Amino acid sequence: MPERNIFDRRGIPTVINAAGTLTRLSGGIVAPGVAEAMRDACLASVDMLELQAHASQILAAITGAEAGYVTAGASAGLLLATAACLSRYDASLMNRLPDTGGMSNEFVIPRGHRNGYDHAVRAAGGRLVEAGLPERQAGVGVRETEAWEIGAAINERTAAVLYVAGEWARPALAEVTEIAHRASVPVIVDAAAELPPQSNLRHFLAQGADLVVFSGGKALGGPAASGILCGRRNLVMSAVVQSIDLDVTWDQWNPPTALVDKKSLTGLPQQGVGRSCKVGKQEIMGLLAAIEHFVAEGDEARHSRWLVDARRIADGLADQDAATVTLVGESDVSCIPRVELQFPRGSTSAALALAERLLDGDRPIHLDQTWSDRGRLIVNPICLRDGEARLVAQNVVRILRQ
Ligand SMILES: *Cc1c(COP(=O)(O)O)cnc(C)c1O
């Protein structure tokens, strides 16, 4: 059993998280060194621009970007990226957001990339323009949005193209950035959940993306309320001045030039639209500790560490015959290894019944229910603590045998 923690002392039940780094389950378990970095950060004061300038240097070196910024999450990063593409350096436009009447405010998105998180684009004042048609129903084969359709949707009202990265994402990012850049339009990539593999820290930028957002609270192992925005220096700079506290007179404001080029700004917005995405020194120091650990550990060692629990669970689940057990991603170090429990005939009700039974108990056990409509549950090992893998397997087997 893990030792008693701060939640136990307050009588707040903790859960066994075999579902992954879900925000509603408080995100992941932070990487070694992160909690200490956050604690130390709480105990001293610092100039936030100096701190973010330091973070920018580290993030730029790791991602290959011109600049980086620690945000309050990937969603916050999307909002800031939107604000940057809408107003660039014009302080009067910054002050107007999210009111974008008369501005170039369209964000072209392949229709199949629409998702709940694009609310952040709308929150900053962007208007989403869907391009193409992901064909699923006509039985003529699967066809996704094509690059030329994105090109056709770009016009003088376009502020940026929004691309959501994922294994399934089409068209290829390189085609999208090429067609967007031909029209001098930047491309924002939502890569929130695209780590590992570690190479993705550089990949999307190398494919021509102008801004990329990552979540800090997923497999990166940073604080739940942290994320990364990285990319072109001029756009990151716009995001900085629209989110950082700037209750200071223009003359007295001397930002570190590595982060903000004061000369190219027309003025300072009065608490920009990104001010609601405030990030603290704790999150910044925690995120830096996490990404440095992530890079130092490397995909192979990380995958082996996760695989220990995944194997333990797969072995433990062999003791039942209600569902078929598969260990997925065992030999692919670029992914998160996981255990799939497939119920016969794709039975959704059997999957949901098990998931529900696992939740009643002193320590509820959460599995990933993404594919429960296909009669499949997934056990994700990355948020499990010592001894919990065994508990997951034991409880699943106990319930399935009843
Ligand atoms: C998780 C996720 C987000 C949100 O990330 P946060 O860091 O929690 O804000 C945004 N977009 C996608 C595609 C995600 O998977």
Side-chain angles (χ1 to χ4, degrees), residues 251-268:
D251 291 335
Q252 283 177 336
W253 188 56
N254 295 305
T257 46
L259 187 67
V260 177
D261 173 23
K262 185 178 175 184
K263 285 193 300 298
S264 55
L265 289 165
T266 53
L268 292 180

Side-chain angles (χ1 to χ4, degrees), residues 26-51:
S26 70
I29 302 290
V30 294
V34 172
E36 295 79 358
M38 294 180 79
R39 183 188 169 282
D40 287 357
C42 290
L43 302 175
S45 298
V46 66
D47 182 303
M48 290 300 281
L49 274 166
E50 298 287 348
L51 178 53

Side-chain angles (χ1 to χ4, degrees), residues 36 139 151 190 200 317 359:
E36 295 79 358
D190 177 354
N200 276 352
L317 294 182
L359 293 177

